[in-house]
Amino acid sequence: MNKIAAPKIFQPPERRFWVCRAQSGQFLEHFFRHEVIAMGHIDPMRSLNFSETFEASKDKIEKYFKSKSEILDRTATNHLNQVLHFIADAKAEDLVLTVGGGSILIGKILSDAFFEKKNLYIKKGSGKKEKEVEMTQYLRRKVKWVKTIPRWGMPYSLSKGITGNQTFFNLDGYEDEIYSMISPYVYKKGELVTNLSILREKKISTYHFSKLGLTFLKAEFISKNWESLSQIKTIDELEARFISFCEEGKYDSSLVAEFSSPGRTSNALITTAIGAAIFALILNISLSGGELETDWPVKFKAKTNELIPHESRVKFFNALTEFGFDYLRDWLLKDSKNLQDHLELKQPEGDFEILESPGQLIDQPKASLPDNVC
């Protein structure tokens, strides 16, 4: 069996979310290779210096759009507002999505806006057919791309949210959907959201999905009652307490599922920091049937942030040991056994170092784009 260390729980900072289109996907690879997002709405301007005040820059941009027509018509006003959003409203540390072909790029904005009259190039083809493809679009921001996913892996509600004809627009209402593609556990403002992808393309049985719901409830039960584990003597007593917990409505978990092919599920739970960490650990054990690593008390934390004081982690580990980890695991696996195989569950993955580290550009090997990215 696989050994389970402490799950990584993502604690997102306050930030906003944006979409920047890549000219109908035409410049998606330019965005990726050069680590930028860009707009071409003010390319004809000779220069634009953002070291001056924003009001001065805004005045020049407004004059540019007005020069194209005596009054700002609806289209010009729309373009003007998008440019101002790009320059002033988006900030470093915000997340940005761009879409092209069959792929979505998710990245973190690293810089303020800048105007650079320099074409960017990528090479396409090979041998005698190799050619350079240029991108103008001089209004830019530097970005660190943290994830590339196939478009079919996007939540349905988000796929609707990114529709439209604007080049740059806000996506603040879709924070949960965006993080669901990056992290299995997101803890923010006292709520833990657990994200799982269901990769099974065949029909999903009601029986197995109900077992998934029970698995979530068992993890919540342990996260709320771990301090009394040492008082429970038998598996039957543990089961009886769990049934009472459910029948008396003491649970707070709410499960949402999306049954596309493939689909996804998320579970929201209002809980404390220690409850969040224990829930995540118990769920990972349930879904993998694994064993705890021997240095678990040291690793039982969320990334570099201490969600739980060391003494609390050790206290939980001791309670788990006193009750009997093997007994607890057998009780958990009674409902979660074969779930992984039947539902083909997968936890999303993302780059926590980049997402959690403000103001840091972390050097990493270049990722490769899927063949269908453009």
Side-chain angles (χ1 to χ4, degrees):
M1 293 183 178
N2 296 323
K3 289 191 174 182
I4 304 300
K8 295 177 181 178
I9 300 177
F10 176 45
Q11 300 176 82
E14 290 295 327
R15 55 163 50 111
R16 302 191 72 184
F17 303 84
W18 306 90
V19 171
C20 186
R21 298 193 181 283
Q23 195 75 17
S24 299
Q26 178 182 350
F27 297 137
L28 184 72
E29 196 166 352
H30 293 80
F31 281 17
F32 182 81
R33 301 297 177 193
H34 293 279
E35 296 188 315
V36 297
I37 53 174
M39 296 180 66
H41 292 49
I42 56 174
D43 279 4
M45 293 184 68
R46 291 184 178 180
S47 65
L48 194 60
N49 183 3
F50 291 114
S51 63
E52 60 191 7
T53 66
F54 169 68
E55 289 302 321
S57 298
K58 179 181 177 183
D59 183 59
K60 289 180 180 179
I61 295 169
E62 286 181 339
K63 285 181 179 178
Y64 164 72
F65 280 107
K66 285 180 179 179
S67 70
K68 299 174 68 175
S69 60
E70 292 185 4
I71 60 172
L72 282 176
D73 60 20
R74 181 179 297 180
T75 299
T77 301
N78 183 285
H79 286 181
L80 170 63
N81 289 334
Q82 290 180 61
V83 169
L84 297 181
H85 282 318
F86 189 97
I87 295 171
D89 295 333
K91 307 291 184 185
E93 305 300 325
D94 287 355
L95 293 192
V96 62
L97 280 68
T98 191
V99 183
S103 295
I104 304 167
L105 299 182
I106 303 174
K108 186 175 81 167
I109 298 175
L110 296 178
S111 75
D112 292 332
F114 58 94
F115 190 75
E116 182 181 42
K117 278 222 162 182
K118 171 186 174 183
N119 293 351
L120 299 179
Y121 296 88
I122 61 168
K123 291 183 178 180
K124 287 195 171 184
S126 59
K128 293 182 178 180
K129 294 185 178 180
E130 183 180 270
K131 62 177 181 179
E132 285 192 327
V133 180
E134 71 173 7
M135 182 190 85
T136 54
Q137 298 206 327
Y138 301 132
L139 181 61
R140 298 167 183 166
R141 280 178 178 265
K142 292 296 292 181
V143 170
K144 190 68 176 180
W145 300 112
V146 298
K147 186 150 188 182
T148 304
I149 65 170
R151 192 160 185 167
W152 56 259
M154 179 169 46
Y156 178 76
S157 56
L158 182 60
S159 67
K160 295 297 182 183
I162 64 172
T163 58
N165 297 320
Q166 292 182 319
T167 298
F168 191 79
F169 58 93
N170 184 257
L171 208 61
D172 282 351
Y174 296 89
E175 176 180 359
D176 290 344
E177 288 86 347
I178 293 169
Y179 283 141
S180 76
M181 299 184 291
I182 299 172
S183 174
Y185 299 105
V186 181
Y187 186 64
K188 185 178 182 181
K189 296 180 179 178
E191 182 181 64
L192 177 70
V193 177
T194 303
N195 301 299
L196 289 170
S197 295
I198 302 174
L199 301 181
R200 182 181 175 87
E201 297 185 3
K202 298 179 181 178
K203 290 182 179 180
I204 296 172
S205 74
T206 304
Y207 172 80
H208 283 96
F209 192 73
S210 67
K211 290 293 185 181
L212 180 61
L214 276 176
T215 300
F216 280 117
L217 286 174
K218 283 187 172 183
E220 180 182 351
F221 171 73
I222 296 298
S223 73
K224 290 181 174 179
N225 295 277
W226 64 271
E227 290 181 283
S228 62
L229 271 179
S230 59
Q231 303 168 17
I232 301 174
K233 303 304 180 185
T234 66
I235 291 292
D236 289 342
E237 184 182 352
L238 181 66
E239 180 70 13
R241 291 197 184 195
F242 172 65
I243 291 173
S244 295
F245 173 82
C246 295
E247 290 180 343
E248 294 171 14
K250 295 181 179 179
Y251 57 85
D252 296 304
S253 289
S254 57
L255 185 63
V256 177
E258 189 176 290
F259 292 109
S260 53
S261 182
R264 64 183 62 247
T265 182
S266 64
N267 183 81
L269 174 65
I270 303 299
T271 186
T272 61
I274 188 169
I278 292 173
F279 179 97
L281 179 73
I282 296 299
L283 186 66
N284 275 18
I285 294 170
S286 300
L287 296 179
S288 70
E291 297 178 354
L292 288 172
E293 293 185 344
T294 54
D295 59 350
W296 173 85
V298 177
K299 292 185 176 180
F300 190 45
K301 60 184 180 178
K303 199 52 187 166
T304 56
N305 302 312
E306 286 279 359
L307 273 183
I308 309 169
H310 177 76
E311 59 271 19
S312 296
R313 290 185 271 127
V314 173
K315 186 178 179 181
F316 171 64
F317 184 72
N318 291 339
L320 199 61
T321 303
E322 187 173 345
F323 175 77
F325 176 71
D326 290 341
Y327 291 125
L328 179 62
R329 183 184 61 202
D330 291 345
W331 178 71
L332 293 170
L333 295 182
K334 185 176 71 172
D335 288 308
S336 63
K337 188 177 181 180
N338 299 324
L339 275 182
Q340 190 77 282
D341 293 336
H342 182 82
L343 298 179
E344 298 178 40
L345 299 172
K346 183 179 180 181
Q347 293 181 326
E349 298 174 349
D351 196 317
F352 290 86
E353 292 291 345
I354 294 176
L355 291 174
E356 291 182 331
S357 302
Q360 295 183 18
L361 176 58
I362 300 176
D363 293 329
Q364 290 191 332
K366 293 285 186 181
S368 59
L369 283 169
D371 293 337
N372 63 347
V373 74
C374 296

